[in-house]
């Protein structure tokens, strides 16, 4: 059975592998950033991951990857929902993300395209925004509903 749980230090290599297999950047991953990652764990095998990089009072949803054999099974939807819930509990106001090919997936989850120039300065300062994602990547945003429990 697959469960979504916080990433642990021992998950680092598996997360990097999932991201590499999905052709997503790994150059800026470090242990401190992993604190805000979630993983989909199927009896000890990591089959998906997602992270939220804190950017002041907002967050950058990043590094969503699902093992090839699990794509289309709802793992990505569950990971995004869990990341959004965690970010809301932490008091983040809006989640931003950059994508080249999955805009439809995120639009179906309430994200809207916005102009890159409208990103908050803290999001613009991330390595994902400033260096790793091409300027052709779509910037999307979704305001979060606060749950009040941290």
């Amino acid at each position: 059975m697959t469960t979504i749980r916080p990433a642990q230090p021992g998950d680092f290599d598996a997360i990097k592998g999932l991201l590499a297999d999905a052709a997503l950047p790994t150059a800026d991953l470090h242990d401190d950033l992993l604190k805000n990652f979630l993983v989909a764990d199927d009896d000890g095998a990591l089959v998906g991951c997602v992270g939220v990089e804190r950017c002041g009072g907002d967050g950058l949803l990043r590094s969503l990857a699902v093992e090839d054999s699990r794509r289309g099974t709802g793992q990505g939807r569950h990971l995004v929902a869990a990341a959004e819930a965690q970010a809301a509990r932490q008091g983040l106001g809006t989640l931003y993300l950059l994508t080249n090919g999955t805009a439809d997936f995120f639009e179906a989850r309430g994200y809207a395209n916005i102009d890159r120039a409208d990103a908050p300065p803290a999001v613009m300062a991330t390595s994902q925004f400033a260096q790793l994602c091409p300027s052709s990547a779509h910037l999307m945003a979704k305001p979060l509903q606060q749950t009040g429990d941290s």
Side-chain angles (χ1 to χ4, degrees):
M1 180 173 161
T2 304
T3 58
I4 296 176
R5 63 168 175 79
Q8 304 298 317
D11 297 331
F12 190 77
D13 288 339
I15 290 170
K16 284 181 74 171
L18 282 168
L19 296 175
D21 289 347
L24 294 173
T26 61
D28 65 334
L29 285 184
H30 50 81
D31 289 336
D32 194 46
L33 186 59
L34 230 54
K35 290 180 196 173
N36 290 313
F37 264 69
L38 299 171
V39 296
D41 184 323
D42 187 2
D43 293 324
L46 294 191
V47 297
C49 62
V50 67
V52 174
E53 183 172 351
R54 191 173 191 100
C55 303
D58 298 310
L60 181 66
L61 185 76
R62 53 167 294 157
S63 306
L64 173 64
V66 175
E67 184 181 81
D68 281 342
S69 67
R70 305 292 179 113
R71 290 190 182 150
T73 65
Q75 294 294 315
R77 286 191 311 272
H78 293 301
L79 283 161
V80 169
E84 290 172 353
Q86 176 177 284
R89 284 191 304 273
Q90 293 173 352
L92 299 183
T94 301
L95 281 183
Y96 295 86
L97 65 89
L98 292 157
T99 184
N100 281 319
T102 57
D104 291 345
F105 173 86
F106 287 106
E107 283 176 359
R109 274 137 204 92
Y111 289 81
N113 284 301
I114 64 169
D115 191 289
R116 287 176 70 110
D118 293 333
V123 171
M124 288 183 182
T126 65
S127 59
Q128 288 279 305
F129 190 99
Q131 300 165 347
L132 299 176
C133 290
S135 60
S136 61
H138 296 276
L139 178 65
M140 302 183 83
K142 179 180 181 178
L144 298 175
Q145 291 187 331
Q146 302 305 307
T147 60
D149 55 302
S150 302

